[in-house]
Amino acid sequence: MRRLSIALSAVAFHAALQSMILLGGTVPARAEARFDRVQRTGLMRVCIWPDYYAISFRNPYSGELQGLDVDMARAFGQDLGVRVSFVESGFSTVAADLLGDRCDIGMFGIGVTTERSERIAFSQPYLRSGIYAVSSQTHPRILRWDDLDQDGMVVAVQKGTVMDDYASRSLRKASIRIVSGPQEREEEVQSGRADAFLTDYPYGRRVLTVHQWAHLITPDVPVQPTPYAYAVAPGDPVWLDRVNRFVEAVKRDGRLEAAAARFGLTPIVARD
């Protein structure tokens, strides 16, 4: 009889465990796995996009990774007492990279959107940028923001970015040209296949630095100010809490402000 009771208890426990998995998507012990593994292995894998000027970019001359989030990733690793390994990713693949366990965290100015929030979890914001446009200084019709969404205009956006999302929802008259790589946007404008392309503050600064032909168009009223945050796989409250505590720390102790100043990003630091 006692054996039967033990067997029934085991079945009941297994059923309860399965219910927890079905309802919550994970079990409590699993929520600590990411942080535990980073501590145990002494390694934090950080997804970055290595072409994001001032955020996470590879210096074309030295090959060295530079940018605010490269510095922040190393600072986080130092706080945790672990090594940092950078994994190349991008806006259209970061969710899959996190869910597929290619990296432990995404740190490259990832805009918080509804679509992304349905798949991955975000920290509190540390940057906030609106949308800007880049056209040619010699373009005969584009002088200000309102000139973009007009009949006959072609506006390029990079696939999977905040600008892609904005253009598909907000541009009514202009045609949208979706490209895969960041440099393709400049090429579309230089070749005349597009009249302008949409970008954010960091990349807009890069274009002005690199291209003499470029004209940065700033809207009179900020367009879709988007919080930028660090991203992790969902269902990891312990890991997300540790990331949030890091963000709070670098805001409080000045490390974020110092890194932003080094890379010309002070205007978009989120201080709330």
Side-chain angles (χ1 to χ4, degrees), residues 55 126-130 132 201-202 228 264-271:
I55 297 290
Y126 66 103
L127 298 176
R128 187 174 286 108
S129 175
Y132 299 76
Y201 184 84
Y228 292 2
L265 299 177
T266 298
I268 63 170
V269 171
R271 298 175 178 85

Side-chain angles (χ1 to χ4, degrees), residues 64-83:
E64 178 187 0
L65 286 171
Q66 299 175 338
L68 179 144
D69 275 335
V70 172
D71 287 1
M72 288 294 98
R74 289 171 176 156
F76 192 19
Q78 186 173 21
D79 284 5
L80 295 174
V82 301
R83 294 178 296 110

Side-chain angles (χ1 to χ4, degrees), residues 201-214:
Y201 184 84
Y203 203 83
R205 286 190 63 252
R206 175 196 181 277
V207 175
L208 292 183
T209 301
V210 175
H211 300 293
Q212 293 184 348
W213 56 263

